[in-house]
């Protein structure tokens, strides 16, 4: 390109990329056809006169996010950088909750019903919320320990409702009860029954995922050694909202749900948008198992888990779009 061509190409590129003018407008200004404008703009890219840079905040990994979304058929996948030094006993990185709070601000519309399940990551998310459209907030599970309700999921529901200016429907009950009869009796108590009535109205839910090992699953930690061994023998690889899954995403140990205060798996499957918040190497396999269940539609995770998920599952499986029944 000679000097005149270079100057003209630079001018056209400025009009198109910086000033937002159409190719037809540029063609009229320079007295050429819009096809020539298109060729000049293409040449400007080839000759490095124009450089297009796609930038997202440093903590977000756009390439992994898009690859993860495509591989599992997710509606949304957001991958954040893992901490420089991940501790062996670390739960989900706390920055996942902050990013998930921003994602909820995008997904929730005015008049929606937002469901929050117990989990450290959902508690961190609720604490980080600073904007939500007016919506109703309902608790989807009981708490890990009723004595810590003020610092746990009850407080998370209250916080989200406060930010949105909507109603709060918490559940003041433990997640796990000694037997099915006690759990059934609690479900009929007025406050808990009122929360359960909202389960079929939930439009967006936020859930956590645990792997079947100490400190990484609250349900695992609540059970006796004998019970843990029993469910391990069934092949449990992951837990979400007191529902257990094997590595293929099939639900196992369904009898546990009869003792729990939690949203049923089938109701969870019917919620239009279910966002899972989980990360770290220790949870990577569990996240994959839950994704294969079809219950989750979106995921907030970190690079450590994403790298595992992008290699351990064959391409072409899109369980989040199919929303299959994990009981079949």
């Amino acid at each position: 390109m000679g000097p005149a061509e270079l100057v003209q190409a630079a001018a056209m590129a400025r009009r198109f990329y910086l000033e937002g003018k159409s190719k037809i407008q540029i063609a009229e200004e320079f007295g050429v056809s819009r096809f020539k404008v298109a060729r000049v703009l293409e040449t400007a890219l080839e000759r490095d006169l124009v450089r297009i840079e796609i930038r997202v905040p440093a903590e977000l990994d756009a390439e992994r996010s898009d690859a993860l979304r495509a591989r599992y058929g997710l509606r949304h996948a957001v991958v954040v950088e893992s901490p420089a030094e991940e501790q062996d006993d670390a739960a989900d990185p706390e920055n996942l909750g902050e990013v998930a709070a921003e994602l909820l601000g995008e997904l929730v519309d005015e008049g929606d019903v937002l469901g929050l399940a117990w989990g450290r990551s959902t508690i961190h998310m609720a604490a980080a919320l600073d904007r939500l459209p007016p919506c109703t907030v309902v608790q989807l599970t009981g708490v890990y320990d009723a004595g810590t309700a003020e610092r746990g999921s009850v407080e998370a529901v209250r916080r989200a409702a406060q930010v949105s200016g909507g109603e709060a429907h918490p559940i003041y009950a433990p997640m796990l009860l000694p037997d099915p009869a006690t759990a059934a009796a609690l479900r009929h108590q007025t406050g808990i029954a009122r929360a359960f009535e909202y389960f079929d109205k939930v439009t967006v839910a936020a859930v956590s995922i645990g792997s079947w090992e100490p400190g990484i699953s609250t349900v695992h930690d609540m059970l006796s050694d004998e019970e843990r061994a029993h469910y391990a023998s069934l092949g449990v690889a992951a837990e979400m909202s007191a529902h257990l899954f094997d590595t293929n995403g099939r639900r196992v140990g369904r009898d546990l749900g009869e003792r729990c205060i939690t949203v049923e798996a089938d109701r969870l499957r019917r919620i239009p948008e279910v966002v899972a918040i989980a990360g770290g190497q220790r949870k990577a396999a569990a996240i994959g198992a839950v994704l294969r269940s079809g219950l989750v539609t979106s995921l907030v995770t970190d690079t450590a888990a994403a790298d595992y998920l992008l290699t351990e599952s064959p391409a072409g499986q899109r369980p989040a779009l199919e929303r299959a029944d994990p009981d079949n």
Side-chain angles (χ1 to χ4, degrees):
M1 298 178 74
E5 290 177 308
L6 285 171
V7 170
Q8 185 184 66
M12 288 183 176
R14 178 175 294 278
R15 303 290 194 280
F16 185 74
Y17 291 108
L18 299 182
E19 299 176 12
K21 291 188 176 181
S22 69
K23 293 174 184 177
I24 293 176
Q25 290 173 316
I26 297 170
E28 291 176 352
E29 178 181 348
F30 287 88
V32 298
S33 71
R34 62 185 177 88
F35 301 105
K36 180 173 182 179
V37 174
R39 288 196 300 272
V40 170
L41 292 175
E42 184 177 345
T43 302
L45 284 172
E46 294 173 350
R47 298 294 180 87
D48 214 23
L49 290 178
V50 174
R51 296 181 182 179
I52 298 176
E53 184 178 8
I54 300 173
R55 301 181 65 184
V56 296
E59 68 173 352
L60 298 182
D61 192 310
E63 186 175 351
R64 283 185 176 92
S65 298
D66 188 55
L68 198 60
R69 178 200 58 77
R71 181 171 287 263
Y72 287 89
L74 295 163
R75 292 202 185 98
H76 306 279
V78 182
V79 178
V80 305
E81 288 292 334
S82 300
E85 296 182 1
E86 184 179 352
Q87 300 177 357
D88 290 340
D89 61 347
D92 302 307
E94 289 193 18
N95 61 341
L96 294 187
E98 298 171 3
V99 173
E102 295 179 11
L103 178 61
L104 275 194
E106 295 181 65
L107 298 181
V108 176
D109 293 323
E110 183 174 350
D112 275 349
V113 177
L114 171 63
L116 299 182
W118 159 265
R120 298 180 184 92
S121 57
T122 52
I123 291 170
H124 290 152
M125 178 205 67
L129 284 171
D130 59 9
R131 64 183 177 94
L132 270 182
C135 64
T136 299
V137 186
V138 61
Q139 193 169 323
L140 296 179
T141 64
V143 298
Y144 174 50
D145 181 346
T148 64
E150 293 301 318
R151 303 188 303 276
S153 46
V154 169
E155 180 55 30
V157 169
R158 287 176 175 167
R159 167 66 182 168
Q162 180 184 30
V163 172
S164 74
E167 295 181 3
H169 294 277
I171 293 177
Y172 295 96
M175 180 189 295
L176 180 66
L177 282 304
D179 53 72
T182 304
L186 277 177
R187 292 189 198 104
H188 286 91
Q189 287 191 357
T190 303
I192 298 174
R194 186 178 298 116
F196 267 65
E197 289 174 359
Y198 276 90
F199 286 0
D200 287 330
K201 303 174 185 177
V202 173
T203 50
V204 180
V207 300
S208 296
I209 295 172
S211 57
W212 200 244
E213 55 181 307
I216 310 297
S217 165
T218 52
V219 173
H220 175 281
D221 293 346
M222 285 188 283
L223 296 172
S224 67
D225 290 340
E226 183 179 353
E227 290 171 324
R228 292 169 192 157
H230 165 66
Y231 290 117
S233 71
L234 300 179
V236 60
E239 174 265 319
M240 179 179 69
S241 302
H243 300 296
L244 309 181
F245 305 88
D246 65 13
T247 55
N248 294 314
R250 290 189 293 264
R251 205 154 68 94
V252 297
R254 289 175 236 173
D255 60 306
L256 181 65
E258 297 175 3
R259 296 170 49 196
C260 293
I261 303 296
T262 186
V263 59
E264 299 93 328
D266 192 54
R267 275 177 158 173
L268 197 60
R269 184 167 59 92
R270 295 198 300 267
I271 296 174
E273 184 73 79
V274 179
V275 181
I277 312 161
Q281 293 182 356
R282 290 182 67 182
K283 282 193 176 183
I287 296 169
V290 172
L291 289 182
R292 282 187 286 275
S293 76
L295 295 181
V296 169
T297 61
S298 297
L299 175 68
V300 178
T301 191
D302 66 346
T303 51
D307 286 342
Y308 174 87
L309 293 168
L310 288 171
T311 57
E312 65 88 39
S313 182
Q317 296 182 357
R318 298 164 67 82
L321 291 180
E322 297 165 2
R323 302 304 296 274
D325 186 348
D327 290 343
N328 293 328

